[in-house]
Coordinates of all heavy atoms in Angstrom, one line a residue:
Y1 N 7.4 161.8 56.9 CA 6.8 163.1 57.3 C 5.4 163.2 56.5 O 5.3 162.7 55.5 CB 7.7 164.3 56.9 CG 8.9 164.3 57.8 CD1 10.1 163.9 57.4 CD2 8.8 164.9 59.1 CE1 11.2 164.0 58.2 CE2 9.9 164.9 59.9 CZ 11.1 164.4 59.5 OH 12.2 164.5 60.4
C2 N 4.5 163.9 57.2 CA 3.2 164.2 56.6 C 3.0 165.7 56.7 O 3.3 166.3 57.7 CB 2.1 163.4 57.3 SG 2.1 161.7 57.1
M3 N 2.3 166.2 55.7 CA 2.1 167.7 55.7 C 0.6 167.9 55.7 O -0.2 167.4 54.9 CB 2.7 168.3 54.5 CG 2.4 169.8 54.4 SD 2.9 170.6 52.9 CE 2.1 172.2 53.1
N4 N 0.2 168.8 56.6 CA -1.2 169.3 56.7 C -1.2 170.9 56.5 O -0.2 171.5 56.9 CB -1.8 169.0 58.1 CG -2.1 167.6 58.3 OD1 -3.2 167.2 58.3 ND2 -1.0 166.8 58.6
V5 N -2.3 171.4 56.1 CA -2.5 172.8 56.0 C -3.5 173.2 57.0 O -4.6 172.7 57.1 CB -3.0 173.2 54.5 CG1 -3.3 174.6 54.5 CG2 -2.0 172.8 53.5
V6 N -3.1 174.1 58.0 CA -3.9 174.5 59.0 C -5.1 175.4 58.4 O -4.8 176.3 57.7 CB -3.2 175.3 60.1 CG1 -4.1 175.8 61.2 CG2 -2.1 174.4 60.7
T7 N -6.3 175.2 58.8 CA -7.5 175.9 58.4 C -8.3 176.5 59.5 O -8.1 176.2 60.6 CB -8.4 175.0 57.5 OG1 -8.8 173.9 58.4 CG2 -7.7 174.4 56.3
Q8 N -9.2 177.4 59.1 CA -10.1 178.0 60.0 C -9.5 178.9 61.0 O -8.3 179.1 61.0 CB -11.1 177.0 60.6 CG -11.9 176.3 59.6 CD -13.1 175.6 60.2 OE1 -13.4 174.5 59.7 NE2 -13.8 176.1 61.1
A9 N -10.3 179.5 61.9 CA -9.8 180.5 62.8 C -8.8 179.9 63.8 O -8.8 178.7 64.2 CB -10.9 181.2 63.5
E10 N -7.9 180.8 64.3 CA -7.0 180.3 65.4 C -7.7 179.7 66.5 O -8.8 180.3 66.9 CB -6.1 181.5 65.8 CG -5.0 181.2 66.7 CD -4.0 182.3 66.9 OE1 -4.1 183.3 66.2 OE2 -3.1 182.2 67.8
G11 N -7.3 178.6 67.0 CA -7.9 177.9 68.2 C -8.8 176.8 67.7 O -9.3 176.0 68.5
H12 N -9.2 176.8 66.5 CA -10.1 175.8 66.0 C -9.5 174.4 65.8 O -10.2 173.4 65.9 CB -10.8 176.3 64.6 CG -12.0 175.5 64.3 ND1 -12.0 174.3 63.6 CD2 -13.3 175.7 64.6 CE1 -13.2 173.9 63.5 NE2 -14.0 174.7 64.0
A13 N -8.2 174.4 65.5 CA -7.4 173.2 65.3 C -7.9 172.2 64.2 O -7.9 171.0 64.4 CB -7.3 172.4 66.6
S14 N -8.2 172.7 63.1 CA -8.6 171.9 61.9 C -7.4 172.0 60.9 O -6.7 173.0 60.9 CB -9.8 172.4 61.3 OG -10.9 172.2 62.1
A15 N -7.4 171.0 60.0 CA -6.3 171.0 59.0 C -6.7 170.1 57.9 O -7.6 169.2 58.0 CB -5.0 170.5 59.6
V16 N -6.0 170.2 56.8 CA -6.1 169.3 55.6 C -4.8 168.6 55.3 O -3.8 169.3 55.1 CB -6.6 170.2 54.4 CG1 -6.6 169.3 53.1 CG2 -7.9 170.9 54.6
L17 N -4.8 167.3 55.4 CA -3.7 166.5 55.0 C -3.5 166.4 53.5 O -4.5 166.1 52.8 CB -3.9 165.1 55.6 CG -2.8 164.0 55.2 CD1 -1.5 164.3 55.7 CD2 -3.3 162.7 55.5
L18 N -2.3 166.7 53.0 CA -2.0 166.5 51.6 C -1.6 165.1 51.4 O -0.6 164.7 51.9 CB -1.0 167.5 51.2 CG -1.2 169.0 51.4 CD1 -0.1 169.9 50.8 CD2 -2.6 169.4 50.9
R19 N -2.4 164.3 50.6 CA -2.1 162.9 50.4 C -1.3 162.6 49.1 O -0.6 161.6 49.1 CB -3.4 162.1 50.3 CG -4.1 161.9 51.7 CD -5.0 160.8 51.7 NE -4.4 159.6 51.3 CZ -3.7 158.7 52.0 NH1 -3.6 159.0 53.3 NH2 -3.2 157.6 51.5
A20 N -1.5 163.4 48.1 CA -0.8 163.1 46.8 C -0.7 164.3 45.9 O -1.6 165.1 45.9 CB -1.5 161.9 46.1
V21 N 0.4 164.4 45.1 CA 0.5 165.4 44.1 C 0.9 164.8 42.8 O 1.6 163.7 42.8 CB 1.6 166.5 44.5 CG1 1.1 167.3 45.8 CG2 3.0 166.0 44.7
E22 N 0.6 165.5 41.8 CA 1.0 165.1 40.4 C 2.3 165.9 40.1 O 2.2 167.2 40.3 CB -0.1 165.5 39.4 CG 0.2 165.3 38.0 CD -1.0 165.7 37.1 OE1 -2.2 165.7 37.6 OE2 -0.7 165.9 35.9
P23 N 3.4 165.3 39.8 CA 4.6 166.1 39.5 C 4.4 167.1 38.4 O 3.9 166.8 37.3 CB 5.6 165.0 39.0 CG 5.0 163.7 39.6 CD 3.5 163.9 39.5
I24 N 4.9 168.3 38.6 CA 4.9 169.4 37.7 C 6.3 169.8 37.3 O 6.6 169.9 36.1 CB 4.0 170.6 38.2 CG1 2.6 170.2 38.5 CG2 4.1 171.8 37.2 CD1 1.8 169.9 37.3
K25 N 7.1 170.0 38.3 CA 8.5 170.5 38.1 C 9.4 170.0 39.1 O 9.2 170.1 40.4 CB 8.5 172.0 38.1 CG 9.8 172.7 37.8 CD 9.7 174.2 37.9 CE 11.1 174.8 37.6 NZ 11.0 176.2 37.8
N26 N 10.5 169.3 38.7 CA 11.6 168.8 39.6 C 11.1 167.8 40.7 O 11.7 167.8 41.7 CB 12.3 170.0 40.3 CG 13.1 170.8 39.2 OD1 13.7 170.2 38.3 ND2 13.2 172.1 39.5
V27 N 10.0 167.1 40.4 CA 9.6 166.1 41.3 C 9.8 164.7 40.6 O 9.0 164.4 39.7 CB 8.1 166.2 41.7 CG1 7.6 165.1 42.6 CG2 7.8 167.6 42.3
K28 N 10.9 164.1 41.0 CA 11.3 162.9 40.3 C 10.7 161.6 40.9 O 10.5 160.6 40.3 CB 12.8 162.8 40.2 CG 13.5 164.1 39.7 CD 13.3 164.2 38.2 CE 14.2 165.3 37.7 NZ 13.5 166.2 36.9

């Protein structure tokens, strides 16, 4: 699975893909 965050006004169809996170809590 891949997660994107939808951005800009409705109908624009843009998004930001989250590629990596640094573990902070309960990410093993």
Side-chain angles (χ1 to χ4, degrees):
Y1 289 100
C2 294
M3 178 188 171
N4 289 256
V5 174
V6 177
T7 61
Q8 296 194 220
E10 189 166 348
H12 197 273
S14 293
V16 176
L17 172 68
L18 303 184
R19 285 201 54 83
V21 297
E22 176 180 336
I24 299 294
K25 181 179 179 184
N26 293 324
V27 178
K28 308 287 186 231

